[in-house]
Amino acid sequence: MILSTISRLSVWAERASLAIAGAAAVYMMAVIAFNVVTRILFDATGRAVNLMIPGAVEQASYALLILVMAALAASMRDGMISVDLFVNRMPAIVQKLAVRLWYALAMVLALVLAWSFGHEAQILLNRGDVTQDLVLPLWWFYSAITVECLALALISFDQALTATHVSEGHLS
């Protein structure tokens, strides 16, 4: 019962992270592409027409930050990268224990990161810090990263509990 609940929550966290990563990637590429085209227009008109997006670099940077953290969480359900040359030579039980250990360590790291980003988000909220160009509250971004770190921790925890068999040299 508890394992199935954790697994369902993990699947939901993976799907949500994948959707967030996809949206952030599309947004980032749209901002960059639009600014490249408008920069060409800006240069071609001798600086007379300026349609560039204010704070485009800042927008792309924060979108990339959210994209990377969400993609990291989403990628964990398909297994970690391993060096097959070494892993395939290990007995199956050692492979299972190793992958469970790595997922457990990933969970601990994700929880430490979540605590750290969450703490920083609280500080930024209390101070009222904002982004440089767009004057958006910085705590929004730190809170989003905190949530993604918690998703990573949940997915890693689920994988650490459910890695049960070896198929084609990989645990699933």
Side-chain angles (χ1 to χ4, degrees):
M1 173 88 170
I2 292 174
L3 285 177
S4 66
T5 301
I6 291 170
S7 187
R8 280 194 311 274
L9 288 172
S10 176
V11 168
W12 182 86
E14 175 196 12
R15 289 178 182 161
S17 294
L18 194 56
I20 290 167
V26 168
Y27 181 77
M28 182 182 70
M29 288 187 297
V31 166
I32 291 170
F34 185 80
N35 246 32
V36 166
V37 170
T38 57
R39 178 64 186 209
I40 292 169
L41 179 65
F42 178 74
D43 291 341
T45 61
R47 300 181 180 184
V49 178
N50 184 2
L51 300 174
M52 289 185 284
I53 300 171
V57 172
E58 186 174 81
Q59 290 180 49
S61 298
Y62 285 114
L64 180 61
L65 175 65
I66 291 170
L67 170 115
V68 167
M69 294 305 290
L72 180 61
S75 71
M76 291 299 275
R77 288 198 50 90
D78 289 331
M80 293 186 173
I81 297 171
S82 64
V83 179
D84 289 341
L85 175 66
F86 299 116
V87 175
N88 287 343
R89 294 174 190 247
M90 297 178 188
I93 189 70
V94 175
Q95 290 180 31
K96 287 182 218 178
L97 291 173
V99 81
R100 286 180 182 213
L101 173 65
W102 285 116
Y103 275 117
L105 290 173
M107 179 194 69
V108 169
L109 174 64
L111 289 173
V112 169
L113 288 172
W115 180 83
S116 180
F117 278 108
H119 180 69
E120 190 65 24
Q122 184 64 45
I123 290 170
L124 294 169
L125 174 64
N126 292 340
R127 284 196 319 220
D129 289 357
V130 295
T131 62
Q132 183 176 343
D133 295 331
L134 301 173
V135 195
L136 296 172
L138 268 174
W139 70 268
W140 289 355
F141 301 101
Y142 280 77
S143 297
I145 299 306
T146 302
V147 169
E148 285 304 328
C149 288
L150 290 172
L152 174 60
L154 175 64
I155 292 167
S156 296
F157 181 59
D158 178 47
Q159 292 298 306
L161 293 176
T162 59
T164 58
H165 66 281
V166 178
S167 66
E168 298 180 31
H170 299 289
L171 292 170
S172 56

